[in-house]
PDB file of all heavy atoms in Angstrom:
ATOM      1  N   THR A   1      10.627   8.397 -14.246  1.00 95.00           N
ATOM      2  CA  THR A   1      10.518   9.869 -13.939  1.00 95.00           C
ATOM      3  C   THR A   1      10.141  10.082 -12.427  1.00 95.00           C
ATOM      4  O   THR A   1       9.583   9.185 -11.814  1.00 95.00           O
ATOM      5  CB  THR A   1       9.457  10.487 -14.872  1.00 95.00           C
ATOM      6  OG1 THR A   1       8.145   9.940 -14.472  1.00 95.00           O
ATOM      7  CG2 THR A   1       9.732  10.333 -16.282  1.00 95.00           C
ATOM      8  N   ALA A   2      10.403  11.239 -11.936  1.00 94.00           N
ATOM      9  CA  ALA A   2      10.053  11.514 -10.586  1.00 94.00           C
ATOM     10  C   ALA A   2       8.552  11.384 -10.362  1.00 94.00           C
ATOM     11  O   ALA A   2       8.180  10.898  -9.340  1.00 94.00           O
ATOM     12  CB  ALA A   2      10.523  12.950 -10.202  1.00 94.00           C
ATOM     13  N   GLU A   3       7.758  11.882 -11.317  1.00 92.00           N
ATOM     14  CA  GLU A   3       6.327  11.784 -11.197  1.00 92.00           C
ATOM     15  C   GLU A   3       5.843  10.317 -11.133  1.00 92.00           C
ATOM     16  O   GLU A   3       4.957   9.912 -10.448  1.00 92.00           O
ATOM     17  CB  GLU A   3       5.703  12.544 -12.381  1.00 92.00           C
ATOM     18  CG  GLU A   3       4.189  12.524 -12.405  1.00 92.00           C
ATOM     19  CD  GLU A   3       3.638  13.165 -13.554  1.00 92.00           C
ATOM     20  OE1 GLU A   3       4.163  13.117 -14.771  1.00 92.00           O
ATOM     21  OE2 GLU A   3       2.590  13.864 -13.384  1.00 92.00           O
ATOM     22  N   GLY A   4       6.485   9.519 -12.019  1.00 93.00           N
ATOM     23  CA  GLY A   4       6.100   8.087 -12.082  1.00 93.00           C
ATOM     24  C   GLY A   4       6.470   7.341 -10.779  1.00 93.00           C
ATOM     25  O   GLY A   4       5.656   6.621 -10.280  1.00 93.00           O
ATOM     26  N   VAL A   5       7.640   7.627 -10.219  1.00 94.00           N
ATOM     27  CA  VAL A   5       8.048   6.949  -8.990  1.00 94.00           C
ATOM     28  C   VAL A   5       7.155   7.384  -7.858  1.00 94.00           C
ATOM     29  O   VAL A   5       6.671   6.561  -7.062  1.00 94.00           O
ATOM     30  CB  VAL A   5       9.537   7.361  -8.663  1.00 94.00           C
ATOM     31  CG1 VAL A   5       9.879   6.926  -7.284  1.00 94.00           C
ATOM     32  CG2 VAL A   5      10.485   6.735  -9.730  1.00 94.00           C
ATOM     33  N   GLN A   6       6.798   8.726  -7.816  1.00 92.00           N
ATOM     34  CA  GLN A   6       5.939   9.149  -6.717  1.00 92.00           C
ATOM     35  C   GLN A   6       4.582   8.586  -6.870  1.00 92.00           C
ATOM     36  O   GLN A   6       3.970   8.122  -5.863  1.00 92.00           O
ATOM     37  CB  GLN A   6       5.826  10.698  -6.729  1.00 92.00           C
ATOM     38  CG  GLN A   6       4.998  11.279  -5.671  1.00 92.00           C
ATOM     39  CD  GLN A   6       4.863  12.767  -5.620  1.00 92.00           C
ATOM     40  OE1 GLN A   6       4.943  13.322  -6.763  1.00 92.00           O
ATOM     41  NE2 GLN A   6       4.767  13.392  -4.528  1.00 92.00           N
ATOM     42  N   LEU A   7       3.989   8.507  -8.043  1.00 91.00           N
ATOM     43  CA  LEU A   7       2.670   7.941  -8.183  1.00 91.00           C
ATOM     44  C   LEU A   7       2.665   6.396  -7.848  1.00 91.00           C
ATOM     45  O   LEU A   7       1.713   5.925  -7.206  1.00 91.00           O
ATOM     46  CB  LEU A   7       2.188   8.173  -9.634  1.00 91.00           C
ATOM     47  CG  LEU A   7       0.769   7.744  -9.933  1.00 91.00           C
ATOM     48  CD1 LEU A   7      -0.220   8.412  -8.890  1.00 91.00           C
ATOM     49  CD2 LEU A   7       0.358   8.143 -11.269  1.00 91.00           C
ATOM     50  N   CYS A   8       3.669   5.647  -8.290  1.00 93.00           N
ATOM     51  CA  CYS A   8       3.783   4.257  -7.918  1.00 93.00           C
ATOM     52  C   CYS A   8       3.929   4.103  -6.445  1.00 93.00           C
ATOM     53  O   CYS A   8       3.177   3.233  -5.912  1.00 93.00           O
ATOM     54  CB  CYS A   8       5.073   3.654  -8.661  1.00 93.00           C
ATOM     55  SG  CYS A   8       5.171   1.972  -8.557  1.00 93.00           S
ATOM     56  N   ASN A   9       4.653   4.902  -5.783  1.00 92.00           N
ATOM     57  CA  ASN A   9       4.791   4.867  -4.322  1.00 92.00           C
ATOM     58  C   ASN A   9       3.346   5.169  -3.650  1.00 92.00           C
ATOM     59  O   ASN A   9       2.975   4.444  -2.645  1.00 92.00           O
ATOM     60  CB  ASN A   9       5.818   5.801  -3.751  1.00 92.00           C
ATOM     61  CG  ASN A   9       7.221   5.317  -4.073  1.00 92.00           C
ATOM     62  OD1 ASN A   9       7.460   4.162  -4.334  1.00 92.00           O
ATOM     63  ND2 ASN A   9       8.219   6.217  -4.064  1.00 92.00           N
ATOM     64  N   PHE A  10       2.661   6.116  -4.175  1.00 90.00           N
ATOM     65  CA  PHE A  10       1.330   6.460  -3.688  1.00 90.00           C
ATOM     66  C   PHE A  10       0.336   5.290  -3.853  1.00 90.00           C
ATOM     67  O   PHE A  10      -0.412   5.016  -2.886  1.00 90.00           O
ATOM     68  CB  PHE A  10       0.756   7.723  -4.434  1.00 90.00           C
ATOM     69  CG  PHE A  10       1.257   8.968  -3.890  1.00 90.00           C
ATOM     70  CD1 PHE A  10       1.331  10.133  -4.780  1.00 90.00           C
ATOM     71  CD2 PHE A  10       1.637   9.197  -2.551  1.00 90.00           C
ATOM     72  CE1 PHE A  10       1.812  11.271  -4.352  1.00 90.00           C
ATOM     73  CE2 PHE A  10       2.199  10.451  -2.166  1.00 90.00           C
ATOM     74  CZ  PHE A  10       2.194  11.472  -3.090  1.00 90.00           C
ATOM     75  N   MET A  11       0.488   4.589  -5.004  1.00 91.00           N
ATOM     76  CA  MET A  11      -0.472   3.501  -5.233  1.00 91.00           C
ATOM     77  C   MET A  11      -0.153   2.312  -4.164  1.00 91.00           C
ATOM     78  O   MET A  11      -1.057   1.784  -3.611  1.00 91.00           O
ATOM     79  CB  MET A  11      -0.334   2.936  -6.624  1.00 91.00           C
ATOM     80  CG  MET A  11      -0.853   3.844  -7.705  1.00 91.00           C
ATOM     81  SD  MET A  11      -2.635   4.080  -7.415  1.00 91.00           S
ATOM     82  CE  MET A  11      -2.872   5.429  -8.607  1.00 91.00           C
ATOM     83  N   HIS A  12       1.102   2.114  -3.955  1.00 90.00           N
ATOM     84  CA  HIS A  12       1.508   1.045  -2.928  1.00 90.00           C
ATOM     85  C   HIS A  12       1.046   1.452  -1.515  1.00 90.00           C
ATOM     86  O   HIS A  12       0.699   0.615  -0.764  1.00 90.00           O
ATOM     87  CB  HIS A  12       2.967   0.640  -3.053  1.00 90.00           C
ATOM     88  CG  HIS A  12       3.188  -0.240  -4.283  1.00 90.00           C
ATOM     89  ND1 HIS A  12       2.881  -1.527  -4.293  1.00 90.00           N
ATOM     90  CD2 HIS A  12       3.763   0.030  -5.525  1.00 90.00           C
ATOM     91  CE1 HIS A  12       3.201  -2.018  -5.530  1.00 90.00           C
ATOM     92  NE2 HIS A  12       3.661  -1.100  -6.264  1.00 90.00           N
ATOM     93  N   ALA A  13       1.177   2.740  -1.254  1.00 89.00           N
ATOM     94  CA  ALA A  13       0.763   3.318   0.062  1.00 89.00           C
ATOM     95  C   ALA A  13      -0.789   3.060   0.179  1.00 89.00           C
ATOM     96  O   ALA A  13      -1.205   2.748   1.264  1.00 89.00           O
ATOM     97  CB  ALA A  13       1.102   4.701   0.170  1.00 89.00           C
ATOM     98  N   ALA A  14      -1.570   3.269  -0.899  1.00 89.00           N
ATOM     99  CA  ALA A  14      -2.964   3.173  -0.845  1.00 89.00           C
ATOM    100  C   ALA A  14      -3.284   1.673  -0.641  1.00 89.00           C
ATOM    101  O   ALA A  14      -4.190   1.334   0.183  1.00 89.00           O
ATOM    102  CB  ALA A  14      -3.593   3.596  -2.145  1.00 89.00           C
ATOM    103  N   LEU A  15      -2.578   0.747  -1.235  1.00 90.00           N
ATOM    104  CA  LEU A  15      -2.733  -0.624  -0.980  1.00 90.00           C
ATOM    105  C   LEU A  15      -2.453  -1.069   0.490  1.00 90.00           C
ATOM    106  O   LEU A  15      -3.250  -1.707   1.107  1.00 90.00           O
ATOM    107  CB  LEU A  15      -1.955  -1.480  -1.935  1.00 90.00           C
ATOM    108  CG  LEU A  15      -1.876  -2.948  -1.726  1.00 90.00           C
ATOM    109  CD1 LEU A  15      -3.297  -3.571  -1.937  1.00 90.00           C
ATOM    110  CD2 LEU A  15      -0.912  -3.715  -2.653  1.00 90.00           C
ATOM    111  N   THR A  16      -1.369  -0.557   0.939  1.00 89.00           N
ATOM    112  CA  THR A  16      -0.960  -0.801   2.314  1.00 89.00           C
ATOM    113  C   THR A  16      -2.067  -0.323   3.275  1.00 89.00           C
ATOM    114  O   THR A  16      -2.440  -1.022   4.280  1.00 89.00           O
ATOM    115  CB  THR A  16       0.430  -0.253   2.630  1.00 89.00           C
ATOM    116  OG1 THR A  16       1.364  -0.700   1.805  1.00 89.00           O
ATOM    117  CG2 THR A  16       0.851  -0.466   4.103  1.00 89.00           C
ATOM    118  N   ASP A  17      -2.527   0.866   3.034  1.00 88.00           N
ATOM    119  CA  ASP A  17      -3.584   1.437   3.902  1.00 88.00           C
ATOM    120  C   ASP A  17      -4.825   0.546   3.870  1.00 88.00           C
ATOM    121  O   ASP A  17      -5.464   0.264   4.817  1.00 88.00           O
ATOM    122  CB  ASP A  17      -3.889   2.921   3.465  1.00 88.00           C
ATOM    123  CG  ASP A  17      -5.035   3.515   4.224  1.00 88.00           C
ATOM    124  OD1 ASP A  17      -4.898   3.794   5.458  1.00 88.00           O
ATOM    125  OD2 ASP A  17      -6.096   3.697   3.611  1.00 88.00           O
ATOM    126  N   TYR A  18      -5.229   0.233   2.576  1.00 90.00           N
ATOM    127  CA  TYR A  18      -6.391  -0.639   2.382  1.00 90.00           C
ATOM    128  C   TYR A  18      -6.323  -2.000   3.203  1.00 90.00           C
ATOM    129  O   TYR A  18      -7.225  -2.462   3.895  1.00 90.00           O
ATOM    130  CB  TYR A  18      -6.601  -0.998   0.919  1.00 90.00           C
ATOM    131  CG  TYR A  18      -7.623  -1.981   0.578  1.00 90.00           C
ATOM    132  CD1 TYR A  18      -9.011  -1.697   0.622  1.00 90.00           C
ATOM    133  CD2 TYR A  18      -7.304  -3.355   0.374  1.00 90.00           C
ATOM    134  CE1 TYR A  18      -9.960  -2.633   0.327  1.00 90.00           C
ATOM    135  CE2 TYR A  18      -8.283  -4.305   0.100  1.00 90.00           C
ATOM    136  CZ  TYR A  18      -9.608  -3.918   0.124  1.00 90.00           C
ATOM    137  OH  TYR A  18     -10.491  -4.851  -0.130  1.00 90.00           O
ATOM    138  N   LEU A  19      -5.095  -2.608   3.075  1.00 91.00           N
ATOM    139  CA  LEU A  19      -4.886  -3.887   3.752  1.00 91.00           C
ATOM    140  C   LEU A  19      -4.937  -3.753   5.316  1.00 91.00           C
ATOM    141  O   LEU A  19      -5.467  -4.619   5.962  1.00 91.00           O
ATOM    142  CB  LEU A  19      -3.521  -4.538   3.314  1.00 91.00           C
ATOM    143  CG  LEU A  19      -3.419  -4.911   1.900  1.00 91.00           C
ATOM    144  CD1 LEU A  19      -2.010  -5.399   1.569  1.00 91.00           C
ATOM    145  CD2 LEU A  19      -4.446  -5.930   1.489  1.00 91.00           C
ATOM    146  N   GLY A  20      -4.404  -2.639   5.742  1.00 89.00           N
ATOM    147  CA  GLY A  20      -4.368  -2.377   7.188  1.00 89.00           C
ATOM    148  C   GLY A  20      -5.830  -2.146   7.687  1.00 89.00           C
ATOM    149  O   GLY A  20      -6.068  -2.597   8.935  1.00 89.00           O
ATOM    150  N   ARG A  21      -6.661  -1.551   6.918  1.00 89.00           N
ATOM    151  CA  ARG A  21      -8.055  -1.397   7.362  1.00 89.00           C
ATOM    152  C   ARG A  21      -8.970  -2.528   7.198  1.00 89.00           C
ATOM    153  O   ARG A  21      -9.970  -2.604   7.847  1.00 89.00           O
ATOM    154  CB  ARG A  21      -8.571  -0.095   6.758  1.00 89.00           C
ATOM    155  CG  ARG A  21      -7.988   1.190   7.209  1.00 89.00           C
ATOM    156  CD  ARG A  21      -8.565   2.370   6.658  1.00 89.00           C
ATOM    157  NE  ARG A  21      -8.262   2.579   5.252  1.00 89.00           N
ATOM    158  CZ  ARG A  21      -9.105   2.292   4.238  1.00 89.00           C
ATOM    159  NH1 ARG A  21     -10.322   1.825   4.478  1.00 89.00           N
ATOM    160  NH2 ARG A  21      -8.683   2.312   2.953  1.00 89.00           N
ATOM    161  N   THR A  22      -8.655  -3.481   6.295  1.00 91.00           N
ATOM    162  CA  THR A  22      -9.608  -4.585   5.968  1.00 91.00           C
ATOM    163  C   THR A  22      -9.089  -6.012   6.386  1.00 91.00           C
ATOM    164  O   THR A  22      -9.758  -6.969   6.148  1.00 91.00           O
ATOM    165  CB  THR A  22      -9.795  -4.619   4.509  1.00 91.00           C
ATOM    166  OG1 THR A  22      -8.583  -4.844   3.783  1.00 91.00           O
ATOM    167  CG2 THR A  22     -10.473  -3.276   3.915  1.00 91.00           C
ATOM    168  N   GLY A  23      -7.922  -6.068   7.125  1.00 92.00           N
ATOM    169  CA  GLY A  23      -7.454  -7.394   7.488  1.00 92.00           C
ATOM    170  C   GLY A  23      -6.463  -7.222   8.641  1.00 92.00           C
ATOM    171  O   GLY A  23      -6.221  -6.106   9.188  1.00 92.00           O
ATOM    172  N   ASN A  24      -5.871  -8.351   8.959  1.00 91.00           N
ATOM    173  CA  ASN A  24      -4.843  -8.431  10.068  1.00 91.00           C
ATOM    174  C   ASN A  24      -3.587  -9.067   9.610  1.00 91.00           C
ATOM    175  O   ASN A  24      -3.591 -10.025   8.933  1.00 91.00           O
ATOM    176  CB  ASN A  24      -5.494  -9.264  11.151  1.00 91.00           C
ATOM    177  CG  ASN A  24      -6.759  -8.646  11.787  1.00 91.00           C
ATOM    178  OD1 ASN A  24      -6.748  -7.455  12.032  1.00 91.00           O
ATOM    179  ND2 ASN A  24      -7.776  -9.488  11.841  1.00 91.00           N
ATOM    180  N   TRP A  25      -2.495  -8.368   9.925  1.00 88.00           N
ATOM    181  CA  TRP A  25      -1.196  -8.932   9.639  1.00 88.00           C
ATOM    182  C   TRP A  25      -0.728  -9.860  10.782  1.00 88.00           C
ATOM    183  O   TRP A  25      -1.034  -9.649  11.946  1.00 88.00           O
ATOM    184  CB  TRP A  25      -0.103  -7.796   9.495  1.00 88.00           C
ATOM    185  CG  TRP A  25      -0.428  -6.933   8.342  1.00 88.00           C
ATOM    186  CD1 TRP A  25      -0.949  -5.697   8.282  1.00 88.00           C
ATOM    187  CD2 TRP A  25       0.031  -7.216   6.920  1.00 88.00           C
ATOM    188  NE1 TRP A  25      -1.019  -5.246   6.948  1.00 88.00           N
ATOM    189  CE2 TRP A  25      -0.362  -6.108   6.147  1.00 88.00           C
ATOM    190  CE3 TRP A  25       0.656  -8.301   6.378  1.00 88.00           C
ATOM    191  CZ2 TRP A  25      -0.196  -6.142   4.778  1.00 88.00           C
ATOM    192  CZ3 TRP A  25       0.823  -8.218   5.006  1.00 88.00           C
ATOM    193  CH2 TRP A  25       0.484  -7.153   4.276  1.00 88.00           C
ATOM    194  N   HIS A  26       0.053 -10.820  10.497  1.00 89.00           N
ATOM    195  CA  HIS A  26       0.437 -11.899  11.455  1.00 89.00           C
ATOM    196  C   HIS A  26       1.681 -12.601  10.984  1.00 89.00           C
ATOM    197  O   HIS A  26       2.100 -12.365   9.843  1.00 89.00           O
ATOM    198  CB  HIS A  26      -0.720 -12.842  11.864  1.00 89.00           C
ATOM    199  CG  HIS A  26      -1.323 -13.498  10.529  1.00 89.00           C
ATOM    200  ND1 HIS A  26      -0.704 -14.380   9.734  1.00 89.00           N
ATOM    201  CD2 HIS A  26      -2.518 -13.248  10.011  1.00 89.00           C
ATOM    202  CE1 HIS A  26      -1.502 -14.817   8.828  1.00 89.00           C
ATOM    203  NE2 HIS A  26      -2.625 -14.045   8.852  1.00 89.00           N
ATOM    204  N   ASP A  27       2.244 -13.383  11.802  1.00 89.00           N
ATOM    205  CA  ASP A  27       3.401 -14.297  11.342  1.00 89.00           C
ATOM    206  C   ASP A  27       2.948 -15.254  10.207  1.00 89.00           C
ATOM    207  O   ASP A  27       1.758 -15.528  10.034  1.00 89.00           O
ATOM    208  CB  ASP A  27       3.910 -15.094  12.487  1.00 89.00           C
ATOM    209  CG  ASP A  27       4.623 -14.298  13.537  1.00 89.00           C
ATOM    210  OD1 ASP A  27       5.068 -13.120  13.155  1.00 89.00           O
ATOM    211  OD2 ASP A  27       4.655 -14.758  14.711  1.00 89.00           O
ATOM    212  N   MET A  28       3.906 -15.609   9.384  1.00 87.00           N
ATOM    213  CA  MET A  28       3.667 -16.408   8.227  1.00 87.00           C
ATOM    214  C   MET A  28       2.948 -17.712   8.656  1.00 87.00           C
ATOM    215  O   MET A  28       3.296 -18.418   9.626  1.00 87.00           O
ATOM    216  CB  MET A  28       4.993 -16.735   7.468  1.00 87.00           C
ATOM    217  CG  MET A  28       4.850 -17.487   6.146  1.00 87.00           C
ATOM    218  SD  MET A  28       3.927 -16.474   4.886  1.00 87.00           S
ATOM    219  CE  MET A  28       5.146 -15.176   4.612  1.00 87.00           C
TER     220      MET A  28
END
């Protein structure tokens, strides 16, 4: 459903935000 897709995207955005604030991205 549109609601389910949007909420799933929000959850992954919250994870991405959390990872950006608590760690560092780098090459593999």
